[in-house]
Short mmCIF file of all heavy atoms in Angstrom, two decimals:
data_model
loop_
_atom_site.label_atom_id
_atom_site.label_comp_id
_atom_site.label_asym_id
_atom_site.label_seq_id
_atom_site.Cartn_x
_atom_site.Cartn_y
_atom_site.Cartn_z
N GLY A 1 89.92 123.77 150.04
CA GLY A 1 90.99 123.53 149.06
C GLY A 1 90.62 124.02 147.70
O GLY A 1 89.56 124.53 147.43
N HIS A 2 91.54 123.88 146.77
CA HIS A 2 91.41 124.37 145.39
C HIS A 2 90.55 123.35 144.65
O HIS A 2 90.59 122.10 144.93
CB HIS A 2 92.73 124.60 144.72
CG HIS A 2 92.59 125.38 143.42
ND1 HIS A 2 92.57 124.68 142.23
CD2 HIS A 2 92.53 126.67 143.18
CE1 HIS A 2 92.53 125.64 141.28
NE2 HIS A 2 92.49 126.76 141.82
N VAL A 3 89.80 123.85 143.62
CA VAL A 3 88.91 122.92 142.83
C VAL A 3 89.82 121.82 142.18
O VAL A 3 89.31 120.64 141.94
CB VAL A 3 88.15 123.65 141.88
CG1 VAL A 3 88.96 124.33 140.79
CG2 VAL A 3 87.04 122.75 141.17
N SER A 4 91.05 122.20 141.80
CA SER A 4 91.90 121.17 141.15
C SER A 4 92.23 120.04 142.09
O SER A 4 92.46 118.89 141.76
CB SER A 4 93.21 121.77 140.62
OG SER A 4 93.98 122.35 141.76
N TRP A 5 92.29 120.41 143.50
CA TRP A 5 92.52 119.26 144.44
C TRP A 5 91.36 118.34 144.47
O TRP A 5 91.50 117.16 144.58
CB TRP A 5 92.75 119.89 145.80
CG TRP A 5 93.81 120.81 146.03
CD1 TRP A 5 94.70 121.27 144.97
CD2 TRP A 5 94.23 121.53 147.15
NE1 TRP A 5 95.60 122.24 145.58
CE2 TRP A 5 95.32 122.35 146.84
CE3 TRP A 5 93.84 121.50 148.50
CZ2 TRP A 5 95.99 123.17 147.75
CZ3 TRP A 5 94.48 122.26 149.45
CH2 TRP A 5 95.51 123.07 149.08
N LEU A 6 90.14 118.92 144.41
CA LEU A 6 88.94 118.08 144.46
C LEU A 6 88.81 117.17 143.24
O LEU A 6 88.53 116.05 143.36
CB LEU A 6 87.68 118.94 144.50
CG LEU A 6 87.21 119.43 145.88
CD1 LEU A 6 86.84 118.14 146.78
CD2 LEU A 6 88.22 120.22 146.63
N ARG A 7 89.19 117.74 142.06
CA ARG A 7 89.19 116.93 140.84
C ARG A 7 90.25 115.77 140.95
O ARG A 7 89.90 114.65 140.57
CB ARG A 7 89.45 117.79 139.63
CG ARG A 7 88.38 118.69 139.26
CD ARG A 7 88.48 119.16 137.83
NE ARG A 7 87.49 120.16 137.48
CZ ARG A 7 87.69 121.47 137.40
NH1 ARG A 7 88.92 121.96 137.64
NH2 ARG A 7 86.72 122.27 137.02
N ALA A 8 91.33 116.07 141.53
CA ALA A 8 92.41 115.04 141.69
C ALA A 8 91.86 113.95 142.65
O ALA A 8 92.05 112.79 142.46
CB ALA A 8 93.75 115.75 142.13
N ALA A 9 91.24 114.38 143.80
CA ALA A 9 90.71 113.41 144.67
C ALA A 9 89.54 112.60 144.08
O ALA A 9 89.48 111.30 144.26
CB ALA A 9 90.14 114.13 145.92
N PHE A 10 88.78 113.20 143.25
CA PHE A 10 87.69 112.51 142.55
C PHE A 10 88.29 111.40 141.60
O PHE A 10 87.88 110.24 141.61
CB PHE A 10 86.85 113.42 141.66
CG PHE A 10 85.70 114.11 142.32
CD1 PHE A 10 85.73 114.43 143.61
CD2 PHE A 10 84.54 114.32 141.64
CE1 PHE A 10 84.67 115.02 144.31
CE2 PHE A 10 83.41 114.92 142.21
CZ PHE A 10 83.46 115.23 143.59
N ASP A 11 89.41 111.76 140.92
CA ASP A 11 90.02 110.93 139.98
C ASP A 11 90.62 109.77 140.75
O ASP A 11 90.67 108.54 140.30
CB ASP A 11 91.11 111.63 139.14
CG ASP A 11 91.63 110.81 138.10
OD1 ASP A 11 90.90 110.13 137.28
OD2 ASP A 11 92.90 110.75 138.00
N GLU A 12 91.34 109.95 141.86
CA GLU A 12 92.04 109.00 142.65
C GLU A 12 91.05 107.94 143.18
O GLU A 12 91.31 106.68 143.12
CB GLU A 12 92.84 109.56 143.73
CG GLU A 12 94.05 110.28 143.27
CD GLU A 12 94.82 110.88 144.35
OE1 GLU A 12 94.65 110.49 145.52
OE2 GLU A 12 95.67 111.72 144.16
N LEU A 13 89.92 108.40 143.65
CA LEU A 13 88.89 107.49 144.14
C LEU A 13 88.25 106.64 142.99
O LEU A 13 87.96 105.53 143.17
CB LEU A 13 87.74 108.29 144.89
CG LEU A 13 88.13 108.86 146.14
CD1 LEU A 13 86.99 109.80 146.77
CD2 LEU A 13 88.49 107.76 147.19
N HIS A 14 88.17 107.32 141.79
CA HIS A 14 87.56 106.68 140.66
C HIS A 14 88.49 105.45 140.15
O HIS A 14 87.96 104.37 139.85
CB HIS A 14 87.40 107.66 139.50
CG HIS A 14 86.87 107.08 138.21
ND1 HIS A 14 85.63 106.35 138.07
CD2 HIS A 14 87.39 106.93 137.03
CE1 HIS A 14 85.43 105.98 136.83
NE2 HIS A 14 86.53 106.28 136.14
N ARG A 15 89.80 105.71 140.28
CA ARG A 15 90.73 104.67 139.90
C ARG A 15 90.73 103.43 140.80
O ARG A 15 91.14 102.35 140.39
CB ARG A 15 92.20 105.25 139.85
CG ARG A 15 92.41 106.15 138.60
CD ARG A 15 93.93 106.27 138.34
NE ARG A 15 94.55 107.00 139.43
CZ ARG A 15 94.80 108.28 139.52
NH1 ARG A 15 94.36 109.03 138.59
NH2 ARG A 15 95.44 108.86 140.53
N THR A 16 90.20 103.61 141.98
CA THR A 16 90.10 102.39 142.89
C THR A 16 89.04 101.40 142.43
O THR A 16 89.07 100.26 142.82
CB THR A 16 89.84 102.81 144.27
OG1 THR A 16 88.50 103.45 144.29
CG2 THR A 16 90.80 103.88 144.80
N GLY A 17 88.14 101.85 141.57
CA GLY A 17 87.11 101.00 141.08
C GLY A 17 85.92 100.98 141.97
O GLY A 17 84.87 100.37 141.66
N GLN A 18 85.99 101.67 143.11
CA GLN A 18 84.83 101.67 144.09
C GLN A 18 83.96 102.89 143.95
O GLN A 18 82.88 102.97 144.61
CB GLN A 18 85.44 101.59 145.56
CG GLN A 18 86.34 100.39 145.78
CD GLN A 18 86.94 100.39 147.12
OE1 GLN A 18 86.26 100.94 148.11
NE2 GLN A 18 88.08 99.84 147.26
N TYR A 19 84.35 103.81 143.13
CA TYR A 19 83.54 104.99 142.95
C TYR A 19 83.39 105.35 141.44
O TYR A 19 84.24 105.01 140.65
CB TYR A 19 84.20 106.23 143.61
CG TYR A 19 84.28 105.97 145.16
CD1 TYR A 19 85.33 105.36 145.74
CD2 TYR A 19 83.21 106.45 145.96
CE1 TYR A 19 85.37 105.13 147.11
CE2 TYR A 19 83.28 106.26 147.34
CZ TYR A 19 84.31 105.59 147.94
OH TYR A 19 84.41 105.38 149.27
N ASP A 20 82.24 105.98 141.15
CA ASP A 20 81.95 106.44 139.81
C ASP A 20 82.04 107.95 139.70
O ASP A 20 81.48 108.60 140.61
CB ASP A 20 80.58 105.90 139.32
CG ASP A 20 80.33 106.18 137.89
OD1 ASP A 20 81.23 106.17 137.16
OD2 ASP A 20 79.11 106.42 137.54
N VAL A 21 82.57 108.47 138.59
CA VAL A 21 82.68 109.91 138.38
C VAL A 21 82.21 110.24 137.04
O VAL A 21 82.65 109.65 136.12
CB VAL A 21 84.15 110.42 138.50
CG1 VAL A 21 84.18 111.85 138.28
CG2 VAL A 21 84.70 110.14 139.96
N ARG A 22 81.15 111.08 136.95
CA ARG A 22 80.65 111.48 135.67
C ARG A 22 79.89 112.83 135.75
O ARG A 22 79.52 113.21 136.88
CB ARG A 22 79.70 110.43 135.11
CG ARG A 22 78.49 110.16 135.89
CD ARG A 22 77.59 109.17 135.26
NE ARG A 22 78.30 107.85 135.15
CZ ARG A 22 78.56 107.15 134.01
NH1 ARG A 22 78.04 107.72 132.86
NH2 ARG A 22 79.09 106.01 134.01
N GLU A 23 79.77 113.46 134.58
CA GLU A 23 79.14 114.75 134.54
C GLU A 23 77.59 114.45 134.40
O GLU A 23 77.18 113.71 133.44
CB GLU A 23 79.61 115.65 133.45
CG GLU A 23 79.09 117.03 133.45
CD GLU A 23 79.65 117.94 132.36
OE1 GLU A 23 80.49 117.33 131.55
OE2 GLU A 23 79.25 119.05 132.25
N ARG A 24 76.78 115.11 135.17
CA ARG A 24 75.31 114.94 135.09
C ARG A 24 74.60 116.19 134.79
O ARG A 24 74.99 117.29 135.28
CB ARG A 24 74.85 114.29 136.37
CG ARG A 24 75.35 112.85 136.58
CD ARG A 24 74.74 112.23 137.81
NE ARG A 24 75.29 110.91 138.04
CZ ARG A 24 75.02 110.12 139.06
NH1 ARG A 24 74.14 110.50 139.95
NH2 ARG A 24 75.59 108.89 139.18
N ALA A 25 73.53 116.22 134.04
CA ALA A 25 72.80 117.35 133.62
C ALA A 25 72.28 118.10 134.81
O ALA A 25 71.70 117.48 135.77
CB ALA A 25 71.63 116.94 132.76
N GLY A 26 72.57 119.38 134.98
CA GLY A 26 72.05 120.19 136.00
C GLY A 26 72.80 120.07 137.32
O GLY A 26 72.56 120.84 138.21
N LYS A 27 73.76 119.12 137.37
CA LYS A 27 74.43 118.97 138.69
C LYS A 27 75.99 119.12 138.54
O LYS A 27 76.69 119.17 139.49
CB LYS A 27 74.16 117.56 139.21
CG LYS A 27 72.65 117.40 139.62
CD LYS A 27 72.28 116.09 140.27
CE LYS A 27 70.98 115.97 140.71
NZ LYS A 27 70.64 114.72 141.31
N GLY A 28 76.52 119.05 137.30
CA GLY A 28 77.87 119.06 137.10
C GLY A 28 78.61 117.82 137.37
O GLY A 28 78.01 116.64 137.18
N LEU A 29 79.86 117.88 137.79
CA LEU A 29 80.67 116.62 138.03
C LEU A 29 80.25 115.99 139.31
O LEU A 29 80.05 116.66 140.34
CB LEU A 29 82.12 117.00 138.14
CG LEU A 29 83.16 115.91 137.74
CD1 LEU A 29 82.94 115.43 136.28
CD2 LEU A 29 84.59 116.45 137.86
N MET A 30 79.99 114.63 139.31
CA MET A 30 79.44 113.95 140.45
C MET A 30 80.30 112.71 140.77
O MET A 30 80.85 112.11 139.94
CB MET A 30 77.99 113.43 140.16
CG MET A 30 77.05 114.53 139.78
SD MET A 30 76.62 115.62 141.26
CE MET A 30 75.73 114.44 142.27
N LEU A 31 80.45 112.48 142.15
CA LEU A 31 81.08 111.26 142.68
C LEU A 31 80.08 110.48 143.33
O LEU A 31 79.32 110.97 144.17
CB LEU A 31 82.18 111.76 143.62
CG LEU A 31 82.98 110.54 144.36
CD1 LEU A 31 83.88 109.81 143.43
CD2 LEU A 31 83.75 111.17 145.51
N SER A 32 80.00 109.17 143.08
CA SER A 32 79.11 108.28 143.58
C SER A 32 79.62 106.82 143.64
O SER A 32 80.64 106.52 142.99
CB SER A 32 77.77 108.35 142.79
OG SER A 32 77.92 107.82 141.43
#
């Protein structure tokens, strides 16, 4: 899929409160 789809999915999971999304040095945007 398109990178914008991935960002949207990252954001939707983040809003559930069960996942953290942040930019990390050397790794870029991370979901955890």
Side-chain angles (χ1 to χ4, degrees):
H2 193 262
V3 66
S4 63
W5 301 4
L6 274 298
R7 289 200 184 102
F10 270 37
D11 186 51
E12 289 181 14
L13 289 174
H14 179 62
R15 285 200 297 266
T16 65
Q18 302 178 31
Y19 296 87
D20 185 33
V21 178
R22 64 180 60 237
E23 187 179 1
R24 296 184 181 177
K27 295 183 178 180
L29 209 59
M30 301 291 293
L31 174 71
S32 63

